[in-house]
Amino acid sequence: MTLQIDDMAPDFTLPTDVANKKITLSELRGKKVVLYFYPKNNTPGCTKESCDFRDHFTAFTKHGIDVFGISKDNSISHAKFKEKHSLPFTLLVDANADVCEAYGVINKKSLFGKTFLGIQRSTFFIDGQGMIRAIWRNVKVPGHVERVLDAIK
């Protein structure tokens, strides 16, 4: 079943970019959350998207929204990526893609004629009660963060 607007966001507990630290979505109740799923640290599109969230981070916090990036990269990779690009938000490690599966962002992709399963760039806006209020799937990076901000204002 594909998640839709007004569905309860699947709960999860994931490691962060900080060693031995975890985030549980349900513990953030009362706060608004943006989860953006991206394929891989340090690739051109993922770097651009993460830097766009960084560049608009103040606008998100002004609206009381916590931003989290999720990929399959490990904590060390996340920490280096975060430091290299001065990302002010937390990156979450979904090594086994369980959360990616729960949010329906694992899809067939192809690269150089090879087909594989990978993360489809997607963003979810979750309200303070844990309900999904907006979904962007198959995201194209240019202008995406601005569209997210416009939708949640």
Side-chain angles (χ1 to χ4, degrees), residues 41-135:
N41 291 336
N42 294 305
T43 57
C46 298
T47 299
K48 173 77 171 108
E49 182 180 25
S50 295
C51 289
D52 284 352
F53 274 106
R54 174 201 64 203
D55 295 345
H56 291 84
F57 185 69
T58 302
F60 284 101
T61 58
K62 192 182 293 184
H63 291 287
I65 298 167
D66 288 343
V67 175
F68 297 93
I70 301 177
S71 79
K72 292 172 56 176
D73 294 295
N74 64 36
S75 292
I76 294 167
S77 175
H78 274 343
K80 289 178 181 176
F81 183 60
K82 184 174 176 176
E83 181 179 358
K84 180 178 180 180
H85 298 288
S86 301
L87 304 178
F89 46 83
T90 300
L91 300 177
L92 301 173
V93 178
D94 189 17
N96 297 322
D98 296 332
V99 175
C100 291
E101 288 281 352
Y103 280 77
V105 302
I106 297 291
N107 290 302
K108 280 187 185 175
K109 299 175 101 178
S110 63
L111 184 65
F112 303 118
K114 305 253 189 227
T115 302
F116 60 97
L117 290 178
I119 297 174
Q120 179 187 57
R121 197 179 310 281
S122 304
T123 302
F124 295 79
F125 173 57
I126 302 165
D127 71 12
Q129 288 71 49
M131 303 293 287
I132 297 171
R133 295 301 177 198
I135 301 171

Side-chain angles (χ1 to χ4, degrees), residues 4 18 28 38-39 76 79 90 108 136 148:
Q4 304 205 8
V18 176
L28 299 173
Y38 66 99
I76 294 167
T90 300
K108 280 187 185 175
W136 296 264
V148 172

